[in-house]
Structures are given as C-alpha cells and as structure tokens.
Amino acid sequence: MPSVAPQQVARTPFTADMRTQEQVWVRAALKGDRTAFMSIVEAYQRPVFNLCYRMLGDGVEAEDAAQETFIRAYTKLSTYNPGHKFSSWLFSIASHYCIDRIRQRRYHMVSWDELPPWQSPATNEPEPEQAALAREARDRLHQLLNSLQPDYRAAVILRYWHDMPYEEIAETLDTTVSAIKSRLFRARQMMAETARQADKDGKGSEEDE
Amino acid sequence: MEKEVKRMNESLEKREQDQQNRPERRTGQAETGEDAMRHDSYIEQISLWLDNELSPAEASQLQAHLAQCPVCRQSQQAMVHLDGMFRQAASLMAAPLPGFGQRLEIRLAHYHPASRRRLLFGMSVLLLGTLALALLGGLLAGLVLFTTGSSLLDVALIAEGLENLFQFINAAAAWFNLGSLFFKASLLTMGQPLFWVCALAVLAAVGLWLRLLNSLNRRPAATVELLI
C-alpha cells in the first residue's frame, strides 16, 4: 500500500495570548492535570505532525512520531525549563526523534533510492492542469528535502515551515547559531545542485526521445 | 522579498551591461581553488541574505560582487528560485487525521510513567508496614504473656529458642565463610589471562545474540512499506 500524503491546511500563527495560555496549561500539566496536557496537544498537534511529516516523508510514520513526541513530552515535562519557549522544547523532542528514526532506517540498510516516492492524495477525478503542476512542484520539493541529511533537513523545515530565527533553530537542534548558518547554506547549495542536475537529466532524456 | 529580488536582479543586469562595455573585462581565466573558496563565502552570504540576516553594508557588498561574478550570480538565481518554492510550500501545514488527541489518550492510558516509582513506594510502604506490625504484634504478645503469667514463658523453652538462634547464626557464619572463600578463589582465577579471554568470548557471544534478536524483533518501518 503506498503511503498517502496527509491533508494540507493553512498555517495559523501563535499569538501572544496563546503563549500565555500555554504556560498556564504547562503549569497545570506539571501538577498532573491530564486535561491541561491534552489542551497542549490540541494546540501543537498540527505543527508537530507537520515537522514529523516533512522529516520522515510518510503520513503513517509521522503520526507515530508525533504521538511519540507527545508521550515523551508528557513523561519528561518536569525537565522543561519555563525560561525557554515551550514550542522549541517540543520541537526539539520531535526533531531529535525523527533524526534518530531516519538514522535507524540507514541502519536497516534501506537507501534513499529504495524509499517510496512522496505521494500526493490520490483522487479518481481528473485534476485541473494547474493543480497537477502544483502537485508536481510539491513532490519535487519533497524529493529535494529527502536528498538532505537529517540534521540539515530539520534546519530547513524549522526555518521555512516554523518561521524560526537562527537562534531558536540552534536551541531546538541543540547546536550553535554558526552551525545553523552553515547547515542552511550547505542545504541550499546541495538542493540547488540537485535541482540543476535533475533539470539537466530531464533535458537530456527529452533530447534522447 | 520578491520585489527586493527583482530590484536586485535589475541592478545586477545593469551592472553586468556596464561590465561588458569595459574593455579590460577579464574572461576565459581558469578558476583556481582560491576563487572557489571565495565563491563559497559569497554563496554563504546569499543564504544569509535570503534569511534577512545581512546588514545593509554586507548586502550592498554582496550585490557589488554578484554584479561582476557570473558563478555566484547563477547560484543566487538558483537559491532564490528554491527559496520561492519553499516559501510557497510552507504556507501549508500537513495535518494529522482527525482524532489525533483521542489516539494519543489511548496510548497514554497504556503508558504509566510513574508506575515504577509508585511500585517502589508501595513496596517500601508494605515492607515498613509489615515490620512495624511484626514489632507491634511481638510487643503486644509479650506484654499479654508477661501480664497474665502464662506458662508459655517457660525458661527452658526460651533457652531452647536462644540455642536455635545461635545455631542459625553459626550456620550463617559458615555460609559467609564459604562465600568469602569463593570470592578469594574468584579473585585468584581473575588473575589468569585465560579467564578474561573466556569472559570476553562469552560477552561477545551474548552481545551478538542480543543484536540478532533485536534486529529480528524490530519493525523496520521503511522496509515494511516497501513490502506492502
């Protein structure tokens, strides 16, 4: 059964009020209030799932990773330092879990080439040309992301999808700002090269035909 | 950002035309390692520029370099294109299927993080409670027997009990001696290299078995997808 891409929804940015509310929930959850913790889950399920999905490239694996992230957050909530952003702490758990998971794939000798390609939701109705083009662009972008090593990929995802400044990405990925600058630069350079190569190969095969 | 890129590209095209008109324009020179490093440093600057991390002075310095360097300009165009693709894609978030919270609650219900701590606490309470009860029971029984002058407080019986207790202590001491002898013998054996060779061989064998069992039991997620 091929993996199916999950539903894509518009981003909803976090407001200052939400951040204040989040601290109230965290304090209550620390006292053992499960309902407060589930409110945190409700607020963060989408961004955490999105991060896992972009990292792993599969909806089923992303669901499992996102759930594991929240279980880890629940069990390690006492280690959270309220002086830092809660979202960074949560994304840190998710990123590290996904990076480990990708490394485990390598341990099982499954190469990137063998992984199933990114799949978009299948429909029986014929797609308008514009939608098909958009889907093609999205698949291409995901393939570019897939070509990166996991810690580079995490930096790119946190930068673009989660609008994080360099300092926050560094905190989330437990590294320095200069390392993040370097990762983003290398990632962009590698993806540009991959795209250029793909274009060249595409043109070459068209000429052969 | 798009306007800024457009403005920058227009400015670059103008500068490029100016450069082409100059007679001393250098062309056809082979790129050295030093040049490649210089390009890398400017390409890094392009990455920072895309994230608005350059000061105005640095940005204009980069612009001036791009105007005269076709290699860096090509990289800039590719990176700007990629950046646009990512920004467009990032306007949408992947969402989990409905009921994510309920599914998590089911998993959490089967997961008791404090169960180990609770078990330890329970065991300690049980142990202390048993000891306290035994002590209290013994004291109460002794008090009752003593006050009623029961025949159970027979001196001979107590003497026999004490003798049994001493015998038990003796036996325990003998076992302790035996244990210490075994320990000394083990220390002597450990001095032999052959012992360590055997121990390491056993450890390696156990490690290999565990690893094999682990790899057989683990669900390789990516491989499963390939098989299905």
Side-chain angles (χ1 to χ4, degrees):
Chain A
M1 191 179 73
S3 58
V4 173
Q7 190 196 357
Q8 309 268 330
V9 293
R11 279 203 297 185
T12 45
F14 275 80
T15 60
D17 285 350
M18 285 162 86
R19 299 257 179 234
T20 316
Q21 180 60 51
E22 158 196 298
Q23 288 304 318
V24 175
W25 286 333
V26 170
R27 276 196 295 273
L30 274 168
K31 287 177 189 161
D33 185 347
R34 180 77 72 89
T35 317
F37 182 74
M38 291 317 292
S39 303
I40 297 174
V41 173
E42 187 63 36
Y44 278 104
Q45 57 174 285
R46 209 168 273 178
V48 168
F49 178 85
N50 179 69
L51 173 61
C52 297
Y53 176 66
R54 307 289 169 193
M55 284 293 289
L56 301 167
D58 175 73
V60 178
E61 272 201 274
E63 160 95 11
D64 191 40
Q67 296 237 344
E68 188 59 36
T69 300
F70 284 112
I71 288 173
R72 287 182 182 197
Y74 185 70
T75 55
K76 292 175 185 172
L77 201 57
S78 56
T79 65
Y80 164 62
N81 177 2
H84 292 94
K85 270 173 90 174
F86 182 75
S87 56
S88 303
W89 182 72
L90 197 60
F91 288 143
S92 176
I93 299 175
S95 310
H96 286 112
Y97 179 74
C98 291
I99 290 171
D100 286 348
R101 205 158 165 153
I102 294 166
R103 286 184 181 149
Q104 273 178 16
R105 280 179 185 167
R106 288 182 181 174
Y107 177 76
H108 285 289
M109 302 293 181
V110 178
S111 79
W112 289 113
D113 299 334
E114 288 174 83
L115 283 172
W118 286 77
Q119 302 282 330
S120 298
T123 55
N124 294 328
E125 293 167 22
E127 281 183 293
E129 195 182 348
Q130 212 169 4
L133 284 171
R135 205 180 77 175
E136 197 182 310
R138 201 168 60 224
D139 290 349
R140 192 177 173 205
L141 182 116
H142 288 152
Q143 268 157 9
L144 286 174
L145 260 184
N146 249 355
S147 69
L148 297 174
Q149 58 188 68
D151 40 1
Y152 284 29
R153 200 184 312 174
V156 171
I157 293 164
L158 292 173
R159 176 75 199 133
Y160 283 106
W161 272 274
H162 299 274
D163 278 337
M164 281 193 187
Y166 285 1
E167 290 78 14
E168 203 179 336
I169 302 176
E171 194 187 312
T172 304
L173 297 180
D174 206 14
T175 184
T176 59
V177 171
S178 58
I180 293 304
K181 283 181 186 175
S182 170
R183 279 183 203 179
L184 284 170
F185 149 61
R186 296 275 170 217
R188 282 170 169 147
Q189 202 179 27
M190 281 186 235
M191 288 192 292
E193 180 55 33
T194 310
R196 196 186 61 83
Q197 197 62 43
D199 283 346
K200 203 174 147 188
D201 292 347
K203 276 176 191 166
S205 59
E206 273 173 26
E207 277 167 19
D208 289 344
E209 283 167 15
Chain B
M1 179 60 117
E2 276 175 19
K3 280 182 184 171
E4 202 183 332
V5 173
K6 202 177 167 187
R7 191 168 51 79
M8 199 181 218
N9 282 335
E10 280 169 5
S11 159
L12 292 176
E13 276 167 21
K14 193 168 175 290
R15 279 179 184 232
E16 195 181 356
Q17 279 169 2
D18 291 347
Q19 291 276 327
Q20 279 168 354
N21 294 335
R22 284 182 194 165
E24 67 273 15
R25 186 170 168 261
R26 294 186 300 169
T27 49
Q29 288 182 358
E31 193 179 270
T32 63
E34 202 179 312
D35 282 341
M37 274 176 69
R38 202 158 48 89
H39 291 317
D40 257 15
S41 110
Y42 279 108
I43 294 166
E44 189 165 2
Q45 296 264 304
I46 296 168
S47 175
L48 292 170
W49 170 73
L50 286 171
D51 292 329
N52 285 325
E53 293 282 336
L54 283 189
S55 67
E58 287 169 327
S60 51
Q61 198 187 348
L62 172 68
Q63 199 171 347
H65 172 77
L66 289 173
Q68 56 187 349
C69 178
V71 178
C72 290
R73 200 162 53 248
Q74 202 180 359
S75 298
Q76 183 235 9
Q77 281 161 359
M79 280 191 178
V80 165
H81 178 66
L82 263 180
D83 187 68
M85 273 171 72
F86 272 101
R87 280 180 202 279
Q88 200 182 354
S91 61
L92 293 174
M93 282 264 190
L97 290 171
F100 180 87
Q102 284 92 323
R103 291 193 294 279
L104 179 69
E105 278 200 281
I106 293 167
R107 272 179 83 164
L108 275 175
H110 290 94
Y111 194 91
H112 302 290
S115 62
R116 212 174 140 187
R117 214 182 309 154
R118 268 190 216 148
L119 186 71
L120 211 68
F121 178 73
M123 293 280 279
S124 311
V125 168
L126 196 68
L127 185 71
L128 287 174
T130 312
L131 282 174
L133 270 177
L135 196 70
L136 196 71
L139 277 172
L140 275 174
L143 199 68
V144 168
L145 289 172
F146 186 73
T147 48
T148 53
S150 169
S151 60
L152 281 170
L153 272 179
D154 191 350
V155 180
L157 197 69
I158 293 170
E160 197 187 337
L162 281 173
E163 200 186 329
N164 283 340
L165 185 68
F166 283 128
Q167 275 178 2
F168 173 75
I169 291 169
N170 255 339
W175 277 108
F176 180 74
N177 274 337
L178 202 66
S180 64
L181 270 173
F182 180 74
F183 182 65
K184 280 177 190 167
S186 307
L187 281 178
L188 276 172
T189 321
M190 275 187 246
Q192 304 297 317
L194 189 64
F195 170 81
W196 289 106
V197 171
C198 291
L200 284 174
V202 169
L203 272 176
V206 169
L208 276 172
W209 268 111
L210 285 175
R211 199 162 175 174
L212 182 71
L213 286 174
N214 192 29
S215 61
L216 284 175
N217 286 334
R218 193 182 294 173
R219 182 180 74 97
T223 331
V224 166
E225 270 174 28
L226 283 175
L227 293 172
I228 292 173

